[in-house]
Amino acid sequence: QVQLVESGGGLVQAGGSLRLSCAASGSIFSTNAMGWYRQPSRKQRELVATITSGGVINYVDSVKGRFTISRDNAKNTVYLQMNSLKPEDTAVYFCNFRRYYGSVGGSYSDYWGQGTQVTVSS
């Protein structure tokens, strides 16, 4: 099992910034990916950004140039720096930990944080 503890959500005006953090603990294999997904009200959850243990990063197009994902492998912590926030970024943000049993892209187990609300006012 992997436990995830998120922090950093809140209310911010459009154009502002927030930083999300997520610390993982438990049965953490060396090959993994950590990332953030978000779920706006009455919509499906979508990927925001992921970063593998090897440092490969992926962003959804709508946040490129505004959000930056990073991780501290020694602390098993992933960060999401969100700048130039827009009202459409409003959502519950979920931390994800994907534990791979072999190489990246192979079989895995997903673990989720409890979610943190990000609200951007116009």
Side-chain angles (χ1 to χ4, degrees):
Q1 289 292 325
V2 175
Q3 295 77 43
L4 301 172
V5 178
E6 303 161 340
S7 61
L11 172 64
V12 65
Q13 290 188 332
S17 298
L18 284 173
R19 189 190 194 210
L20 305 182
S21 299
C22 175
S25 61
S27 300
I28 296 173
F29 291 5
S30 60
T31 304
N32 59 71
M34 298 186 74
W36 296 92
Y37 290 67
R38 64 186 179 188
Q39 186 166 15
S41 180
R42 296 183 296 277
K43 294 185 179 180
Q44 290 190 331
R45 190 175 299 188
E46 64 172 358
L47 181 148
V48 177
T50 60
I51 180 169
T52 70
S53 47
V56 177
I57 292 174
N58 182 44
Y59 294 104
V60 67
D61 285 347
S62 60
V63 308
K64 287 180 179 178
R66 300 189 298 122
F67 291 10
T68 302
I69 191 170
S70 61
R71 63 186 288 169
D72 183 334
N73 287 332
K75 297 180 179 179
N76 293 317
T77 299
V78 64
Y79 306 96
L80 186 67
Q81 178 66 44
M82 304 185 293
N83 298 330
S84 303
L85 282 160
K86 304 175 181 180
E88 50 263 45
D89 294 317
T90 295
V92 178
Y93 283 70
F94 294 90
C95 178
N96 171 262
F97 183 95
R98 177 161 291 180
R99 185 175 69 184
Y100 288 100
Y101 295 101
S103 58
V104 171
S107 60
Y108 61 86
S109 293
D110 269 341
Y111 299 88
W112 296 93
Q114 76 281 4
T116 185
Q117 178 70 46
V118 171
T119 302
V120 184
S121 62
S122 57

